[in-house]
Amino acid sequence: MLKSLFIFGVLGVLLIPAKCDLISVCVEDDNDLRVDCLIEPKPNKINSYEFSWSSGTKESLINTNVSGSSAEGQFKEKSYVEELEPHGYRMTLAEFTDKLPHNTTYMCKISGEVASVNVEREQLVPCSAVSMFLMSTCSWIVCLLLFSYQMHS
Ligand SMILES: *[C@@H]1O[C@H](CO)[C@@H](O)[C@H](O)[C@H]1NC(C)=O
Ligand SMILES: *[C@@H]1O[C@H](CO)[C@@H](O)[C@H](O)[C@H]1NC(C)=O
């Protein structure tokens, strides 16, 4: 009993940082910018999304379906948004990865709730590396579990 509590405790500590990232930014193989927003929509609110970034004092709206507001012209037809399972939205922006402001704060808003992350251009990671990292973290957890089962059985 104590042992399994311990294992779940360790698992929890390992998994929480990944789960708590409500917004993540990476660059796809074809050089498109990808922003994932994993905010859970509130059931009693209008479901809407808004993706933007700010650099210095300038804030730019990239894509939204909030009625009444619209994206900046330069981003129109360059970005699209798809729904993620079980909840959240993914925004993909083409042709801007080389023109990003140096120090950018990426923001997303779902049903009025905001998440933001500050990423410098040099720190942008390839999306393939992100999923590799998650995979290796998971296989590491499986190893840990197998190891502790062997130890205690
Ligand atoms: C925004 O898009 C989502 C998913 O397509 C949809 O469920 C939602 O109703 C839209 N919101 C508005 C305000 O149009
Ligand atoms: C980038 O911008 C953020 C927010 O404006 C600021 O806190 C941070 O110090 C900046 N980083 C650099 C390296 O300028």
Short mmCIF file of all heavy atoms in Angstrom, two decimals, residues 103 105 118 120, ligand 2:
data_model
loop_
_atom_site.label_atom_id
_atom_site.label_comp_id
_atom_site.label_asym_id
_atom_site.label_seq_id
_atom_site.Cartn_x
_atom_site.Cartn_y
_atom_site.Cartn_z
N ASN A 103 12.01 38.58 -28.58
CA ASN A 103 11.51 38.16 -27.28
C ASN A 103 10.00 38.30 -27.33
O ASN A 103 9.48 39.39 -27.32
CB ASN A 103 12.15 39.07 -26.21
CG ASN A 103 11.75 38.67 -24.82
OD1 ASN A 103 11.10 37.64 -24.62
ND2 ASN A 103 12.12 39.49 -23.85
N THR A 105 6.03 37.16 -26.18
CA THR A 105 5.11 36.51 -25.26
C THR A 105 3.93 36.01 -26.07
O THR A 105 3.25 36.78 -26.74
CB THR A 105 4.62 37.49 -24.17
OG1 THR A 105 5.76 38.02 -23.49
CG2 THR A 105 3.73 36.78 -23.18
N ASN A 118 6.54 33.15 -22.31
CA ASN A 118 7.53 34.02 -22.94
C ASN A 118 8.63 33.15 -23.55
O ASN A 118 9.22 32.33 -22.86
CB ASN A 118 8.11 34.96 -21.88
CG ASN A 118 9.02 36.00 -22.51
OD1 ASN A 118 10.22 35.88 -22.45
ND2 ASN A 118 8.44 36.99 -23.14
N GLU A 120 12.05 33.26 -26.16
CA GLU A 120 12.95 33.99 -27.05
C GLU A 120 13.14 33.19 -28.33
O GLU A 120 13.03 31.97 -28.33
CB GLU A 120 14.29 34.21 -26.35
CG GLU A 120 14.20 35.29 -25.29
CD GLU A 120 15.46 35.41 -24.46
OE1 GLU A 120 16.54 35.40 -25.07
OE2 GLU A 120 15.35 35.50 -23.24
C1 LIG B 2 11.53 39.22 -22.48
O1 LIG B 2 10.29 39.85 -22.16
C2 LIG B 2 9.81 39.54 -20.86
C3 LIG B 2 8.43 40.15 -20.71
O2 LIG B 2 8.33 41.39 -21.34
C4 LIG B 2 10.79 40.04 -19.83
O3 LIG B 2 10.34 39.71 -18.53
C5 LIG B 2 12.15 39.37 -20.07
O4 LIG B 2 13.11 39.88 -19.17
C6 LIG B 2 12.62 39.63 -21.50
N1 LIG B 2 13.84 38.86 -21.74
C7 LIG B 2 14.88 39.39 -22.37
C8 LIG B 2 16.07 38.52 -22.55
O5 LIG B 2 14.89 40.54 -22.79
#
